[in-house]
Amino acid sequence: MCIRDRRKIVIDGSNTTGFQRTALFARDGHLELADGHRVGVYGFWLEEDAARRMEEGVTRGKERQATFRLDRLGIPLIELATSPDVRTPAEMRVVAERLGTILRATKRVKRGLGTIRQDLNVSIRDGVRTETKGVQDLRRIPEYVAEEVERQRGLVSVRGELARRGCTETDIPSSSTDITGTLEGTESKVLAGAIKKGGKVLAMRLPGFAGLLKGPDGEDGTRKRLGSELAGYAISMGLRGIFHSDELPAYGVTAEEVQRVAEELGVTEEDAFVMAAGPEATVAAAMEAVAARAASACGDMLPEVRGAQPDGTTRFMRPLPGSARMYPETDVPPVRLTRALLAAVAEMPVEMPEQWVARIASQTGMAPAQVEQIINRGQDAQFEALTGKHDPKLVGLVLLSVLPELEREDVSVEDVTEVTLDQLLAGVSGGLYSKEVMPQVLGRMVKHGEGAEEAAGALGLGGISKEDVAARIDAIVSERADFVRERGKAAMGPLMGEVMREFKGQMDGQELSALLASAIDRLLE
């Protein structure tokens, strides 16, 4: 079955479809975790990506407009949805990692940071389902889930408190009050700036909301921070935020101005108020959204789509859409899944991640934990391509040590290609430099766009033969002949330090050690 999604309609001559298409491929699967627990896989879809929103809620003239880019149109996406069987925030990460490795095992999906995103659906008792979109870093999944649980616990607590105070949805005003004249001459940069540009300052009384917009947390640790919820709705409509009475006076708004606003709105000690400034059309739309959100705080919570933020928190994006937005695609007939087609799919060779780890560990002698790191980083194909020419353990060193070391030093390694790594490794196997200096060589290759040989030359590496090194080591041993005869083979340690200082980076440490041992043996003989 193929369906259309009304939400993502983009009217543009270059957009040949004007909507997102979604094709259902499979349903009712499951994923078995290491402890035997099964997590259902509700469905598997193939989607055609739609336009991406670049700018939202910008007022131009009297209209609010959004700007889209069409460069993702037609890109095929896979969407998997699990059933509500995940038991803990930590387990959600495990499920996401397992699904990702299975997809990578097919060798038919694009991999790497930014190509896979998790949308986390969370709900609690007495709460509501929310969808947190755009989670890329799997390590932070438990943070986002825990944050959403605490957010909903706080909203449930606020709703209970409002009920005890007798507040209802009908108590929330349906319109806001223009207080621009009341705040004329304010020293608040935000308010004064909006007024100077011809904008308006609108305010709204929230009966019975005092102390719930940014009050102290409850005794059980639940948050009472409804102000940030209201601000999220205002931001989604194009404003930078709102002011509310629980945090005033502040931000240049004086106590006297707070008092004047409260008097104009008829605010009592039990009440709160919110105000916002901006272009008239934008601020009016934002205050309508704030009023609707405040009213819902007294009743049923609203299902929401929230965006993942880098600090582990989330922000409101839009209401969670329902099934009404979807309708069957009339131009694309269903594809019948015949037994022959299913049999052909079953015959496709797919090596599961754990099988790949076992095979590579057996073939290369590498530790299974190291091999598992490679596949978890999505570098398995790159590893196999490079090990066709180079020592697998050396390749593993580059992928698991050299690249992360450069990342920690803020060297951009995103564009390091297989060709670049092939050159780097060839420099070691060709005796141009030792494996110990690969981070310095690769770092210079990335920063200056040089080849391995050019980078090594710039670093003062290379240009010395094994015979020259052996001759110099013989000379070092001869110069310290009395010390060698006195200490015997125990002279190896002190002399090795001297050899390493002279030839570090020029030759592998094991080779230097072998040449020094031979030189000492010859002298002692």
Side-chain angles (χ1 to χ4, degrees), residues 388-438:
K389 303 178 183 178
H390 306 285
D391 176 17
K393 293 184 179 179
L394 195 60
V395 175
L397 178 66
V398 170
L399 298 181
L400 298 179
S401 180
V402 174
L403 290 177
E405 181 179 333
L406 293 181
E407 286 177 337
R408 288 192 295 271
E409 295 174 358
D410 294 326
V411 177
S412 176
V413 297
E414 294 179 359
D415 297 328
V416 173
T417 65
E418 190 176 302
V419 173
T420 303
L421 296 182
D422 181 37
Q423 285 188 19
L424 176 72
L425 291 162
V428 177
S429 56
L432 187 61
Y433 45 80
S434 70
K435 63 184 180 183
E436 286 81 9
V437 294
M438 286 195 296

Side-chain angles (χ1 to χ4, degrees), residues 183-260:
L183 293 173
E184 196 74 45
T186 181
E187 295 184 2
S188 167
K189 293 182 179 179
V190 174
L191 300 178
I195 295 172
K196 185 177 181 180
K197 293 178 181 178
K200 297 290 185 181
V201 183
L202 302 183
M204 180 183 301
R205 170 176 166 259
L206 299 178
F209 277 60
L212 297 179
L213 302 184
K214 191 182 179 181
D217 291 345
E219 294 181 359
D220 59 352
T222 53
R223 303 172 183 173
K224 292 182 173 62
R225 303 172 192 172
L226 192 58
S228 60
E229 299 290 317
L230 304 183
Y233 274 65
I235 292 169
S236 74
M237 303 303 289
L239 293 186
R240 295 178 62 183
I242 62 172
F243 296 91
H244 62 74
S245 52
D246 279 2
E247 63 182 358
L248 298 177
Y251 311 113
V253 179
T254 66
E256 181 185 354
E257 288 169 335
V258 172
Q259 183 62 33
R260 291 207 306 264

